């Protein structure tokens, strides 16, 4: 009788564990969407609601002429294949941090506090698939560093380090 009770209790525990893991997996799947970028590292994690610029016209326009951007928002520039990325701040009215990301979703370079309206090229590096623009100063405040991992569906075809 005691063994049967322990087996039933074990079964209930296993079922509860499976349900908990399934719930976590479902939540993780839901959190990986086109309009969300999540970063993680030794510093912690952060999530941004993003507009995706994956067409040449959207990429040329970027965040130009905007006077404000909500603290938890950003723009994710996504390219068809890894390449050298360089940005500028022409007609951009707010200071930005530019987080340059390789095809596997690893931060390779961060340009902090890009100056509004400055047309000096900002080189992100080579073999990059995307760049995340967020409010200036936010990357340092959050502690985002080179080597941080980025989660977004844009990296799915490139063996991401943090898949969706």
């Amino acid at each position: 009788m005691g063994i049967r009770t322990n087996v039933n209790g074990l079964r209930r525990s296993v079922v509860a564990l499976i349900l908990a893991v399934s719930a976590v997996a479902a939540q993780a799947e839901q959190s990986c969407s086109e309009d969300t970028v999540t970063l993680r590292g030794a510093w912690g994690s952060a999530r941004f609601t993003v507009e995706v610029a994956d067409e040449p016209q959207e990429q040329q326009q970027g965040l130009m002429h905007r006077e404000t951007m909500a603290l938890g928002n950003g723009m994710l520039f996504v390219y068809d294949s890894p390449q050298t990325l360089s940005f500028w701040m022409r007609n951009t009215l707010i200071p930005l941090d530019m987080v340059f990301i390789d095809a596997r979703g690893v931060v390779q370079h961060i340009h902090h506090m890009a100056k509004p309206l400055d047309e000096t090229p900002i080189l992100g590096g080579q073999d990059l698939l995307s760049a995340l623009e967020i409010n200036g100063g936010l990357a340092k405040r959050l502690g985002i560093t080179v080597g941080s991992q980025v989660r977004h569906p844009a990296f799915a075809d490139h063996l991401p380090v943090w898949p969706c």
Side-chain angles (χ1 to χ4, degrees):
M1 186 85 131
I3 294 176
R4 185 175 303 243
T5 303
N6 286 343
V7 170
N8 287 336
L10 181 60
R11 283 185 188 148
R12 276 182 257 150
S13 296
V14 168
V15 169
L17 179 61
I18 290 170
L19 291 174
V21 168
S22 297
V24 168
Q27 182 181 11
E29 285 299 319
Q30 290 173 356
S31 67
C32 195
S33 65
E34 286 293 323
D35 67 347
T36 303
V37 169
T38 308
L39 294 97
R40 72 179 180 188
W43 50 271
S45 65
R47 177 177 290 160
F48 295 94
T49 300
V50 295
E51 296 174 53
V52 175
D54 56 3
E55 298 292 329
Q57 184 178 0
E58 297 167 329
Q59 293 165 345
Q60 288 174 354
Q61 179 66 32
L63 292 170
M64 288 183 181
H65 307 292
R66 298 189 192 188
E67 295 180 5
T68 62
M69 182 169 59
L71 194 59
N73 288 6
M75 181 170 278
L76 182 67
F77 294 77
V78 179
Y79 297 88
D80 292 333
S81 60
Q83 58 194 271
T84 299
L85 294 182
S86 181
F87 285 58
W88 61 5
M89 294 289 286
R90 175 181 283 173
N91 298 321
T92 305
L93 308 175
I94 55 177
L96 297 172
D97 287 347
M98 297 177 185
V99 180
F100 295 94
I101 308 160
D102 71 15
R104 297 199 60 220
V106 178
V107 174
Q108 297 298 315
H109 176 67
I110 302 170
H111 181 88
H112 300 277
M113 293 297 292
K115 295 179 184 138
L117 307 173
D118 187 355
E119 294 188 16
T120 305
I122 299 168
L123 184 61
Q126 299 176 342
D127 295 322
L128 301 170
L129 187 68
S130 78
L132 173 65
E133 291 184 341
I134 57 177
N135 282 289
L138 198 51
K140 275 191 181 173
R141 252 189 2 221
L142 292 171
I144 298 170
T145 59
V146 168
S148 296
Q149 298 177 348
V150 181
R151 187 169 190 230
H152 185 270
F155 305 106
D157 294 337
H158 302 277
L159 299 173
V161 295
W162 189 15
C164 289

